[in-house]
Amino acid sequence: MTTAQCSYGRPPDMTQSEATAAQRTWAFHLVKSADSTDATGLTPVMTISKAGAAFAAVNGSTAITELTNGWYQVVHAAADLDTIGSLSFRVAVATADTLNCSCQVDALDRNIATVNPSTGGIDAGSFTAAALAAISVPLVTVSPATVLVTTATADPAISMVKAVDCTVNVTGTFGSGSAQVQTTEDPTVVTPTWTNSGSALTSNGSVVVTGPHNAVRVHWTGATSPSIAIVFTIRKPAGT
């Protein structure tokens, strides 16, 4: 007993809005509904569903051409692939079995050699010379100064430009107040927008702030007689 063949096609996973036509191309095979033989000389109609949306016609420039022996080739328009997620296909024609299949549309272009790891995994050969130079710069640790806080209105700050991170260490007598570590992206404006980083400290402790940020400060509130030492320790690439 033999099993009758059916319409078949497995589109490759594709890149969002792929610019190269060859990477938007795949083939499928159709068989006649009557006897499961190769369906030739047909004009199949394809509809697609992007990320689970309703099925709709492919872009007007999407081309479907016949190859041979029931095989057809489709070259999608980049507009067919503009939505990340599952892309489902339905290929229908009156005299052939309907083909239903799907693939994945990703943001990552897997066809670019420089982002494909080698058989041994990601190694130096997987990166460009510029990338290697950038990641090879050692990090240096800088503690510019220890800031003493003796008034409840003091808000000492330091630049975090090009810093990987900043450890803010607060020790001393808090005087019932609290020290809130904050960051800002534009310290040059009249009233910068400061964003809290972690919970406010009410006793000795430290907070690690991960960049990128332009500045970091300790906002001091509610203290009666503070006597606090604040140390900002910056880590950044050497030479910056």
Side-chain angles (χ1 to χ4, degrees):
M1 178 179 176
T2 59
T3 301
Q5 63 175 339
C6 59
S7 294
Y8 170 80
R10 172 61 175 93
D13 291 341
M14 290 181 273
T15 304
Q16 184 182 26
S17 302
E18 173 59 58
T20 304
Q23 295 171 20
R24 303 192 304 265
T25 302
W26 61 285
F28 56 87
H29 182 256
L30 298 180
V31 297
K32 295 178 182 178
S33 302
D35 56 12
S36 294
T37 57
D38 297 336
T40 59
L42 303 181
T43 305
V45 176
M46 177 179 291
T47 55
I48 57 176
S49 167
K50 301 177 182 179
F55 277 85
V58 292
N59 185 272
S61 61
T62 297
I64 300 177
T65 56
E66 184 175 6
L67 298 175
T68 185
N69 298 325
W71 282 93
Y72 296 80
Q73 172 186 273
V74 57
V75 182
H76 286 283
D80 288 345
L81 314 175
D82 60 1
T83 304
I84 292 176
S86 176
L87 182 61
S88 301
F89 306 87
R90 181 174 176 84
V91 183
V93 61
T95 57
D97 285 352
T98 298
L99 168 64
N100 294 289
C101 55
S102 64
C103 75
Q104 186 74 16
V105 176
D106 297 318
L108 175 66
D109 188 348
R110 305 177 199 182
N111 294 294
I112 297 177
T114 54
V115 300
N116 289 333
S118 62
T119 56
I122 297 177
D123 56 18
S126 304
F127 296 93
T128 64
L132 284 172
I135 64 178
S136 297
V137 176
L139 295 178
V140 295
T141 300
V142 181
S143 296
T146 298
V147 180
L148 299 178
V149 174
T150 57
T151 65
T153 58
D155 286 342
I158 193 171
S159 171
M160 269 194 73
V161 174
K162 297 184 179 179
V164 174
D165 57 42
C166 176
T167 299
V168 184
N169 191 61
V170 183
T171 58
T173 303
F174 282 65
S176 300
S178 63
Q180 176 64 64
V181 177
Q182 299 176 324
T183 59
T184 187
E185 310 316 319
D186 190 357
T188 62
V189 297
V190 176
T191 307
T193 300
W194 292 95
T195 303
N196 291 347
S197 184
S199 301
L201 299 173
T202 56
S203 60
N204 293 349
S206 62
V207 174
V208 178
V209 179
T210 303
H213 296 293
N214 283 335
V216 61
R217 78 173 184 178
V218 178
H219 178 54
W220 197 260
T221 58
T224 54
S225 300
S227 179
I228 293 297
I230 299 174
V231 179
F232 296 96
T233 302
I234 296 286
R235 285 199 315 148
K236 60 181 181 178
T240 60

